[in-house]
Amino acid sequence: MGDDRDAKKGEPALSAGTQSDAGPQPQMSGKQEALAAFDEHHRLLFSIAYRMLGTRADAEDMVQETFLRWQKASDTEIRDPRAFLVTVITRLCINQLQSARVKREQYFGQWLPEPLPTGASPEAIPMTGIDGSLSMAFLMLLERLTPMERAVFLLREVFEYQYAEIARTLGQSEANCRQILRRAKQHIAKDRPRFVVSREQQEKLLQRFLETSAQGDMQGLLALLSEDVVLYTDGGGKATAVPNPIYGAERVGRFFFGAREKLMPKEFVRCLTEINGQPAVVAYHQGRAVGVLTMDVAKGRIRNIYIVRNPDKLRKIQGLPSAPC
């Protein structure tokens, strides 16, 4: 391992095991070096996998499989560690999506991405780019794309890869990657968010939404909702949920003043937190997370509401905090 101060002076860096004023430098084994190199790119790999697959569990599985392939790869296969790892995990995710689509077609009710704790949450996973591309709205748009379209779109639009890099990663020509991206943009152009919403505005709308709902203020709630608002709930057949989306402000409003009591258990506790990079509410019952609510805002009103109740998707949400929330 080299001495940075000597290297900066233009002198040869000290090699592993060479004596210096600080004493013998520890020499890393081949396995340690491989682990250190993998760890350097871990955030990027998870960030790609989660956006590709929409679930933390699947993303973690893909990262683990990528690590196993990394360990088995020869030096001749790994000329560029970052390029090698991104190629492996992207192709694994494409294959996983192709099989996952069959499962989602058989999924009971509406499928929503798994809520991912972000921000200062103790269970948050360090990752690259906590921005609008993590939101439920964005991840739901990606569901309209084929696995290959999704990969090209994410690598280009979110991770800002050049077409030449994308082509090498996916084994496609640059011209084909451009065509795939064009099709992907066409598929999501209509509903892709076009307005930048400040964190302050999101928090304000969420707080007002909770207040009007708790007070039974129907008119106040309708004033917060876009006329074409859509409510999505995901119970996965394991928790109470509405199997189909609810469209329109009036119907969504009636839901929160009627059917909501059937959706959530009595005497639940709500906590404001950050999920997928956005303000959110986690509902707890007997100390366990039983629901996560997030929303999409456009033109100063609530455009979409997402409620995840499937217990399989809430396992990574911590229990009720000991401090008031």
Side-chain angles (χ1 to χ4, degrees):
M1 302 292 290
D3 188 318
D4 290 338
R5 292 172 298 177
D6 288 342
K8 290 178 182 178
K9 293 177 183 177
E11 300 175 5
L14 295 168
S15 61
T18 301
Q19 296 293 324
S20 71
D21 294 339
Q25 300 297 304
Q27 185 172 8
M28 295 176 67
S29 68
K31 289 185 177 181
Q32 288 175 322
E33 289 180 349
L35 181 59
F38 184 85
D39 285 344
E40 180 182 350
H41 303 292
H42 185 275
R43 291 188 181 196
L44 173 62
L45 299 178
F46 181 83
S47 299
I48 292 173
Y50 176 76
R51 288 174 173 86
M52 280 288 291
L53 304 175
T55 71
R56 177 172 176 172
D58 285 342
E60 290 173 341
D61 286 345
M62 295 301 99
V63 171
Q64 179 63 27
E65 180 61 29
T66 300
F67 178 66
L68 294 176
R69 298 194 181 196
W70 166 256
Q71 287 184 310
K72 296 176 181 178
S74 63
D75 292 340
T76 56
E77 293 179 277
I78 308 176
R79 294 191 179 93
D80 181 337
R82 182 175 182 271
F84 175 86
L85 291 169
V86 169
T87 296
V88 170
I89 201 160
T90 303
R91 294 185 181 186
L92 285 173
C93 287
I94 289 174
N95 293 337
Q96 177 69 12
L97 268 181
Q98 289 170 342
S99 61
R101 284 186 178 274
V102 176
K103 296 178 182 178
R104 290 177 191 177
E105 290 174 358
Q106 301 171 347
Y107 193 83
F108 184 84
Q110 175 69 51
W111 183 93
L112 291 176
E114 178 180 347
L116 187 70
T118 51
S121 176
E123 70 268 34
I125 290 182
M127 62 189 303
T128 300
I130 298 178
D131 54 23
S133 67
L134 269 184
S135 69
M136 286 284 179
F138 189 83
L139 294 175
M140 289 291 286
L141 281 179
L142 295 180
E143 287 295 301
R144 301 180 184 181
L145 307 180
T146 67
M148 185 64 73
E149 289 173 344
R150 192 163 181 160
V152 172
F153 183 86
L154 286 172
L155 290 175
R156 179 64 180 170
E157 297 291 297
V158 176
F159 297 98
E160 300 181 338
Y161 271 57
Q162 299 300 314
Y163 283 108
E165 295 177 291
I166 299 172
R168 287 192 295 269
T169 298
L170 301 177
Q172 302 283 327
S173 68
E174 289 187 44
N176 197 26
C177 288
R178 291 178 186 274
Q179 292 177 351
I180 292 172
L181 180 64
R182 189 178 301 113
R183 289 199 303 268
K185 287 183 175 181
Q186 290 173 348
H187 291 159
I188 65 176
K190 180 180 177 181
D191 293 317
R192 188 176 182 183
R194 296 179 177 83
F195 305 93
V196 177
V197 182
S198 69
R199 177 62 176 257
E200 181 181 2
Q201 185 180 22
Q202 288 180 315
E203 292 178 345
K204 183 178 180 180
L205 276 172
L206 178 59
Q207 190 63 51
R208 289 174 60 191
F209 171 82
L210 295 176
E211 291 172 357
T212 55
S213 298
Q215 295 167 0
D217 181 2
M218 183 65 166
Q219 292 306 312
L221 178 60
L222 292 177
L224 303 176
L225 302 176
S226 170
E227 290 185 4
D228 57 354
V229 63
V230 185
L231 169 66
Y232 303 92
T233 64
D234 176 353
K238 300 180 179 182
T240 305
V242 181
N244 298 309
I246 299 176
Y247 297 91
E250 287 285 346
R251 292 182 177 180
V252 171
R254 287 199 299 270
F255 169 85
F256 280 100
F257 289 113
R260 182 188 60 171
E261 295 182 359
K262 300 178 181 179
L263 187 69
M264 297 300 295
K266 295 181 179 180
E267 300 178 353
F268 67 90
V269 177
R270 296 184 307 200
C271 283
L272 295 177
T273 186
E274 182 181 298
I275 296 290
N276 289 72
Q278 296 184 309
V281 178
V282 178
Y284 296 93
H285 182 248
Q286 298 178 350
R288 180 175 58 87
V290 294
V292 169
L293 182 149
T294 57
M295 55 179 56
D296 174 29
V297 176
K299 296 183 179 181
R301 292 196 173 190
I302 299 169
R303 184 186 186 191
N304 296 306
I305 301 173
Y306 310 93
I307 301 176
V308 177
R309 296 219 55 228
N310 185 341
D312 293 341
K313 297 181 179 181
L314 302 177
R315 290 175 181 171
K316 298 292 186 178
I317 306 293
Q318 70 168 357
L320 182 64
S322 56
C325 55

